[in-house]
């Protein structure tokens, strides 16, 4: 299939087409930026694209709902896929190339190679979504190998994910850099997520408790609270007071190792994961 022009964005589906487009840009001396996404774009995704647009000459966006990062009872089948709207958004942001592969392109039948960052992939999100990060690192390394970007952009919204990807890049000596962009929120604090479309009005109101809980933890620590166990207890109590929230975890951890430290003076991150109705939400706040 030849590259299709959709509102000035080149959309390609095969590895060979990506290579051709990127190699042409590289011959031009372009700095190549990659923004990996699962589509259903919102301002969070667009903030990554804008960061890439600012720092790079050629911006590639991948849109791929990666089956291997979903658990058997998760929302793979109902994950939103508004492809045409995504393409329009990419065109408006001046994206040069959209890579939209099918599952068989990324996982040829019989594929058996996986990439896993041990340890960091097993805690927090990894504990509640076994195999999730293995799926993420496997697809992200494939995308890096296909596009060969100089820099790839990720959101701090998925805090543990960007830490794991940074570590994978470092330990596998990948010749590229990772940029992490701040979490984009609604004006009331709700972190933007493609899964927010699942929430009804009542659930959306309930979901605000998550960012408020994180904000409260940050405020306590900034005001001088040094007993992090006490902060963690308060976070759990705040969530327990809202019976509509089904908590997986909420904690304050070292911002690099994600260990539950008791040292309040280095960089810390407050994290939360919970279900509101049938929707699983995650959020975090960094204290540098
Ligand atoms: P996804 O399509 O959910 O895989 O997300 C694609 C990228 O967008 C990931 O690097 C996410 O961390 C990032 N992202 C998602 N939501 C936000 C947000 N609210 N603010 C900033 N980045 C985000």
């Amino acid at each position: 299939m030849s590259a299709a022009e959709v509102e000035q964005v080149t959309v390609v589906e095969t590895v060979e087409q990506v290579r051709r487009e990127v190699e042409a840009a590289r011959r031009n001396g372009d700095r190549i930026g990659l923004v990996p996404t699962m589509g259903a774009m919102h301002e969070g995704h667009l903030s990554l694209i804008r960061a890439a647009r600012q720092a790079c000459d050629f911006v590639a966006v991948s849109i791929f709902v990666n089956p291997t990062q979903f658990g058997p009872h998760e929302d793979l089948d109902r994950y939103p896929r508004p492809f045409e709207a995504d393409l329009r958004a990419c065109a408006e942001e001046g994206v040069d190339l959209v890579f939209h592969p099918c599952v068989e392109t990324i996982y040829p039948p019989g594929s058996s190679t996986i990439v896993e960052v041990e340890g960091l992939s097993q805690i927090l999100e990894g504990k509640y979504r076994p195999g999730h990060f293995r799926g993420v690192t496997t697809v992200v390394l494939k995308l890096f190998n296909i596009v060969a970007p100089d820099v790839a952009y990720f959101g701090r919204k998925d805090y543990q994910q960007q830490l794991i990807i940074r570590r994978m890049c470092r330990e596998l000596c990948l010749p590229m850099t990772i940029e992490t962009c701040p979490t984009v929120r609604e004006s009331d604090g709700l972190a933007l997520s493609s899964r927010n479309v699942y929430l009804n009005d009542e659930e959306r109101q309930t979901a605000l408790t998550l960012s408020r809980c994180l904000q409260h933890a940050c405020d306590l620590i900034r005001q001088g609270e040094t007993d992090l166990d006490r902060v963690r207890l308060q976070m759990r109590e705040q969530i327990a007071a809202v019976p509509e929230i089904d908590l997986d975890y909420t904690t304050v951890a070292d911002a690099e190792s994600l260990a539950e430290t008791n040292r309040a003076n280095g960089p810390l991150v407050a994290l939360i994961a919970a279900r509101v109705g049938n929707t699983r939400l995650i959020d975090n706040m960094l204290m540098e």
Side-chain angles (χ1 to χ4, degrees):
M1 201 188 110
S2 67
E5 299 284 331
V6 179
E7 301 199 15
Q8 280 132 39
V9 189
T10 304
V11 183
V12 299
E13 295 178 356
T14 70
V15 173
E16 295 69 30
Q17 287 170 320
V18 177
R19 293 235 164 97
R20 224 171 14 245
E21 297 289 330
V22 173
E23 273 160 23
R26 199 176 294 288
R27 273 197 302 279
N28 227 13
D30 284 0
R31 181 174 164 81
I32 315 290
L34 171 66
V35 182
T37 81
M38 298 205 300
M41 291 192 189
H42 49 64
E43 282 293 320
H45 297 103
L46 301 187
S47 73
L48 306 186
I49 293 173
R50 285 173 200 143
R53 191 67 281 169
Q54 280 234 316
C56 302
D57 309 295
F58 184 93
V59 176
V61 171
S62 59
I63 301 179
F64 179 63
V65 182
N66 175 36
T68 65
Q69 70 187 70
F70 288 78
H73 305 294
E74 294 184 357
D75 57 342
L76 173 63
D77 291 339
R78 67 173 184 139
Y79 198 84
R81 291 166 169 87
F83 185 59
E84 295 301 322
D86 286 344
L87 285 190
R88 278 196 298 278
C90 286
E92 274 165 28
E93 297 300 332
V95 168
D96 297 289
L97 182 73
V98 169
F99 179 38
H100 182 238
C102 64
V103 172
E104 291 72 26
T105 296
I106 299 297
Y107 300 105
S111 289
S112 57
T113 306
I114 55 161
V115 183
E116 181 149 28
V117 175
E118 291 186 334
L120 204 46
S121 294
Q122 271 80 46
I123 59 172
L124 298 168
E125 280 300 283
K127 190 167 151 207
Y128 290 90
R129 302 184 72 188
H132 167 67
F133 287 123
R134 183 192 307 147
V136 170
T137 41
T138 301
V139 77
V140 167
L141 183 61
K142 284 175 188 242
L143 292 170
F144 287 175
N145 283 332
I146 293 166
V147 177
D150 297 292
V151 46
Y153 293 81
F154 291 86
R156 195 179 292 150
K157 160 75 166 50
D158 297 278
Y159 190 83
Q160 189 174 1
Q161 169 175 282
Q162 57 85 35
L163 273 187
I164 288 170
I165 288 165
R166 281 175 180 279
R167 185 176 290 189
M168 174 183 80
C169 279
R170 199 168 59 238
E171 294 183 357
L172 295 182
C173 309
L174 299 188
M176 57 180 291
T177 55
I178 301 296
E179 287 291 336
T180 303
C181 301
T183 302
V184 178
R185 298 178 180 281
E186 305 275 10
S187 55
D188 57 12
L190 183 71
L192 296 193
S193 161
S194 303
R195 291 187 167 99
N196 289 353
V197 297
Y198 300 150
L199 300 170
N200 64 32
D201 290 350
E202 213 170 297
E203 290 168 343
R204 198 197 166 288
Q205 250 342 86
T206 305
L208 289 178
T209 311
L210 273 57
S211 56
R212 287 186 186 140
C213 168
L214 298 173
Q215 189 60 59
H216 182 63
C218 293
D219 291 346
L220 285 175
I221 293 166
R222 289 208 180 97
Q223 286 156 15
E225 176 61 83
T226 54
D227 185 346
L228 297 186
D229 281 333
R230 192 146 66 202
V231 175
R232 287 189 273 260
L233 181 64
Q234 284 205 27
M235 294 169 88
R236 287 196 298 273
E237 283 175 352
Q238 199 173 344
I239 299 300
V242 184
E244 293 80 14
I245 300 179
D246 180 10
L247 183 68
D248 278 349
Y249 61 83
T250 184
T251 191
V252 173
D254 178 276
E256 270 300 308
S257 68
L258 295 184
E260 282 195 339
T261 176
N262 262 322
R263 170 201 47 73
N265 54 358
L268 295 169
V269 61
L271 304 129
I272 191 163
R275 245 171 320 280
V276 177
N278 289 323
T279 308
R280 190 170 182 281
L281 300 171
I282 60 171
D283 197 358
N284 68 83
M285 283 184 200
L286 185 62
M287 289 161 272
E288 284 169 301

